[in-house]
Amino acid sequence: MRILLIAGGWSEERDVSLSGARGIHAALERLGHQVTLFDPCRTLAGLLEAAQAHDFAFLNLHGQPGEDGLVQALLETAGVPYQGSGPAGSFLALNKAAAKDVFVRNGLPTPEWVFLPAHPGADWEPPFAFPAFIKSNNGGSSLALHRVSCPGELARALDELFTRGGEAIIEPAVEGVEVTCGVLGDEALPPILIRPLGAGFFDYASKYTPGQAEELCPAPLPGEVTAKVREYALRAHRALGLRGYSRSDFILTPAGALSLLEVNTLPGMTATSLLPQEAAAVGISFDGLIGRLIELGLAAHGKQQEKA
C-alpha cells in the first residue's frame, strides 16, 4: 500500500514523534509498503491532498496536533483510513480533566483533581495536602510535570506552566509504583512495572534517557493485581470510545490499590517503547505490531488490505 506517515508537528513533543517515526518508516518498508513522510512542522496545509494520494495514513504525532483528534478529523473528511482512535475519543483522552470525568462516571479509580483553565493567582493552594503533581492538561511525555511539596514550589510551577500557555491540572501525589498497560484490538496486553532511578517519578528524563528507569515486562505483580490492571485498562479504553490501541498509566499503592492517571491514544512507538515491549511479551514483533495496527485501522474504516 501507499502509506502516508504523519509525524513531527509543532508540539513540544516533536522530537519524540520524529524519533519514533524513523523506526515505523523502516518497519513499513520491511512490510512491503511505499512510505511518504508528512511533517506538519508549522501548518496542516497540504495534508488533505497528500492523504488522498495514499491508501492509508499512519499517525505518530504526540500532543497537539495529533492526539487531540484534529488530524483524525481531517483524515475522516478525506475518506482516508488510519490507525488508532477517532476524533472524539482522541480529544477526550488528551484532555486529562475531561478523561477523569469519564473515568469517575465509569467507576474507574483516579486521583482527586482540580482543573485550572487559567493561573489561579500567586496565593492559591489546592484543596488537598501536599505533595502534589501539577502538569499540562493537554500535554504528554511528562513534559512540564512538576512534583510540588509546598506553596512556594507550587507558585513557581504555576508560573512556568502558564508562561507556556494552555491549561493545567493538579492532583495529590499518590505514593506507589507506576504500572502501564496497553490495549491492542480488544485485548489488554501484559502490564509493565516502571521503577525510575533518578527523579523518583517517571518524568521526561526517565522516559527518554537510557538507564534512567527499569521497565519490567511482564510486571512482577501478583496474578490478581495483573488481572485488575488489565481489566481497568480495557474498561478505560472502552469508556473513552477508543479503538485500535491505547496505553493506560496507573499508580499501584503499597496497599495494592490502583489509581488511573491517564490514557494515551498514540503511545510511543520506538522498538523499545512501552507498548511495543508489551506486544513483544505475547510474541508480537515490532513489525508485526505495525502490521496489526494497519489491519485494525482498515477494519475500523470498513476496508480490507490488498494482498501483495
Side-chain angles (χ1 to χ4, degrees):
M1 287 194 303
R2 297 165 301 167
I3 294 185
L4 186 69
L5 175 57
I6 307 172
W10 56 80
S11 81
E12 291 181 308
E13 299 168 79
R14 170 180 173 78
D15 290 344
V16 176
S17 168
L18 290 172
S19 175
R22 288 190 285 271
I24 295 170
H25 194 291
L28 289 169
E29 289 188 332
R30 287 192 296 268
L31 292 168
H33 300 295
Q34 300 174 32
V35 186
T36 304
L37 176 67
F38 183 91
D39 179 1
C41 56
R42 293 184 178 86
T43 176
L44 292 172
L47 174 60
L48 289 175
E49 291 79 7
Q52 288 177 325
H54 292 76
D55 306 304
F56 190 87
F58 200 105
L59 284 71
N60 194 58
L61 293 164
H62 302 308
Q64 300 180 77
E67 285 184 288
D68 60 355
L70 176 59
V71 172
Q72 292 86 340
L74 286 170
L75 293 172
E76 296 277 353
T77 67
V80 177
Y82 55 90
Q83 101 286 3
S85 297
S90 298
F91 180 81
L92 282 176
L94 183 64
N95 189 298
K96 296 178 180 65
K100 285 165 77 73
D101 275 330
V102 175
F103 300 156
V104 170
R105 182 177 178 84
N106 285 272
L108 290 162
T110 190
E112 184 182 354
W113 76 98
V114 175
F115 170 60
L116 300 172
H119 197 307
D123 298 326
W124 182 85
E125 292 187 23
F128 39 74
F130 292 104
F133 282 104
I134 182 166
K135 53 193 172 183
S136 167
N137 188 53
N138 296 293
S141 292
S142 298
L143 283 162
L145 172 65
H146 300 269
R147 190 181 196 272
V148 295
S149 301
C150 63
E153 290 180 2
L154 173 61
R156 288 191 291 274
L158 285 169
D159 288 344
E160 180 179 330
L161 274 167
F162 284 103
T163 297
R164 293 169 176 257
E167 308 155 351
I169 188 171
I170 184 169
E171 305 167 327
V174 178
E175 299 303 324
V177 294
E178 298 210 28
V179 179
T180 188
C181 185
V183 169
L184 180 62
D186 294 320
E187 182 178 354
L189 296 168
I192 293 178
L193 177 67
I194 299 167
R195 291 177 178 157
L197 302 177
F201 60 93
F202 202 37
D203 64 354
Y204 185 87
S206 299
K207 286 185 177 181
Y208 298 111
T209 305
Q212 289 297 302
E214 289 183 309
E215 298 168 356
L216 306 177
C217 182
L221 298 171
E224 64 273 14
V225 176
T226 295
K228 184 61 70 174
V229 171
R230 296 177 73 178
E231 175 199 337
Y232 283 175
L234 196 54
R235 284 175 55 188
H237 181 90
R238 291 170 175 168
L240 291 169
L242 307 184
R243 67 187 185 215
Y245 66 144
S246 67
R247 197 196 76 230
S248 294
D249 298 334
F250 301 87
I251 293 292
L252 175 64
T253 72
L258 283 168
S259 286
L260 175 57
L261 300 178
E262 60 183 79
V263 178
N264 301 273
T265 56
L266 289 174
M269 286 295 290
T270 68
T272 58
S273 292
L274 296 169
L275 190 132
Q277 287 187 58
E278 296 179 11
V282 294
I284 304 174
S285 68
F286 186 72
D287 289 8
L289 175 59
I290 297 298
R292 178 66 176 143
L293 291 174
I294 293 172
E295 291 175 1
L296 291 167
L298 289 169
H301 294 84
K303 297 182 182 293
Q304 188 172 4
Q305 187 167 350
E306 294 182 4
K307 300 294 183 182

